[in-house]
Amino acid sequence: QVQLVQSGAEVKKPGASVKVSCKASGYTFTSYYIHWVRQAPGQGLEWIGIINPSGGSTSAPQKFHGRLTMTRDTSTNTVYMELSDLKSDDTAVYYCARDTYDRDISAGLILWGQGTLVTVSS
Amino acid sequence: DIQMTQSPSSLSASVGDRVILTCRASQSVGSYLNWYQQKPGKAPMLLIHSASSLQGGVPSRFSGSGSRTNFTLTIDSLQPEDFASYYCQQTYNTPQTFGGGTRVEI
């Protein structure tokens, strides 16, 4: 079964870090880029980064530079998103999602994880 | 970064209506424009990619058009299950960006 399964909800204090996992199954892990998208409560979607599971290269918006780390483990078909120095406005549901076509990041995100709620509160 | 602007932010419609949602890009994105539907508490679902290509399994009442900076998503004969939020996304370059969404309400 082709799916992405994410780790469970997290509650963190401001200034802490959170690491969310996304385990892929049912397809060739290294052939499809994985994106991270977040959604604050009642708000829209925000693209926060992409990782190439094959070589491990990543890209993220400038606003996250220094705070966002994306990694992958090809032995377990899992990608990780770690966000550090958390602030209250990082509270959101974080989704991992896979591209529609292999090695093509232009045709949208066809496969989504179930989402992971990260709550940042003192 | 390319800014994506959707309009309206919300609209009220009835079953059977034809609905047209708009997405504008701050610069040309060619045809690298995708549309998603999202229902409360669920992950988004890809409806259309590359401006006008209907994703497999998506009803044919959904259609997309446009290029460069102006795009539309049309829903012909709105069905009860279509009441949701809709987002456009540009994949012309990174950072990829989403529009703010349009909520379609009864």
Side-chain angles (χ1 to χ4, degrees):
Chain A
Q1 182 181 0
V2 179
Q3 61 180 356
L4 299 173
V5 178
Q6 298 182 223
S7 50
E10 302 264 13
V11 179
K12 297 291 183 181
K13 294 191 182 303
S17 297
V18 68
K19 192 170 186 177
V20 178
S21 67
C22 171
K23 183 174 176 59
S25 60
Y27 70 92
T28 303
F29 177 66
T30 52
S31 292
Y32 295 82
Y33 291 82
I34 293 289
H35 302 241
W36 289 92
V37 176
R38 73 179 183 180
Q39 186 169 38
Q43 302 301 309
L45 303 172
E46 180 181 19
W47 187 88
I48 66 170
I50 183 174
I51 181 168
N52 178 353
S54 178
S57 61
T58 62
S59 178
Q62 182 69 33
K63 67 180 282 189
F64 292 107
H65 283 193
R67 284 212 301 143
L68 178 67
T69 303
M70 292 171 285
T71 56
R72 94 292 190 214
D73 182 343
T74 56
S75 69
T76 60
N77 290 355
T78 303
V79 298
Y80 299 91
M81 185 281 301
E82 183 171 20
L83 191 60
S84 63
D85 191 21
L86 289 167
K87 311 173 196 324
S88 58
D89 59 5
D90 291 318
T91 294
V93 175
Y94 288 75
Y95 294 100
C96 60
R98 196 205 80 178
D99 280 315
T100 300
Y101 301 119
D102 62 342
R103 302 178 185 88
D104 179 357
I105 67 169
S106 69
L109 305 172
I110 188 65
L111 180 67
W112 293 71
Q114 81 276 22
T116 297
L117 176 60
V118 174
T119 303
V120 182
S121 174
S122 55
Chain B
D1 298 359
I2 299 175
Q3 307 302 313
M4 308 300 294
T5 303
Q6 290 186 242
S7 60
S9 56
S10 66
L11 67 89
S12 296
S14 301
V15 173
D17 284 353
R18 184 179 196 229
V19 170
I20 299 175
L21 312 182
T22 297
C23 176
R24 286 192 169 87
S26 61
Q27 66 185 74
S28 175
V29 298
S31 294
Y32 294 104
L33 192 285
N34 310 308
W35 289 96
Y36 298 85
Q37 177 193 70
Q38 186 182 31
K39 296 181 179 179
K42 301 293 186 181
M45 181 180 78
L46 181 65
L47 298 175
I48 288 170
H49 69 83
S50 308
S52 60
S53 295
L54 193 67
Q55 184 59 36
V58 175
S60 59
R61 62 180 179 273
F62 291 92
S63 63
S65 65
S67 65
R68 296 180 58 81
T69 61
N70 293 301
F71 301 87
T72 58
L73 173 68
T74 300
I75 311 173
D76 286 317
S77 189
L78 200 66
Q79 297 300 299
E81 59 268 29
D82 300 337
F83 291 95
S85 294
Y86 294 84
Y87 295 91
C88 61
Q89 176 207 26
Q90 68 80 17
T91 51
Y92 179 75
N93 64 11
T94 55
Q96 297 185 358
T97 45
F98 289 91
T102 294
R103 184 174 179 180
V104 177
E105 303 172 317
I106 298 174

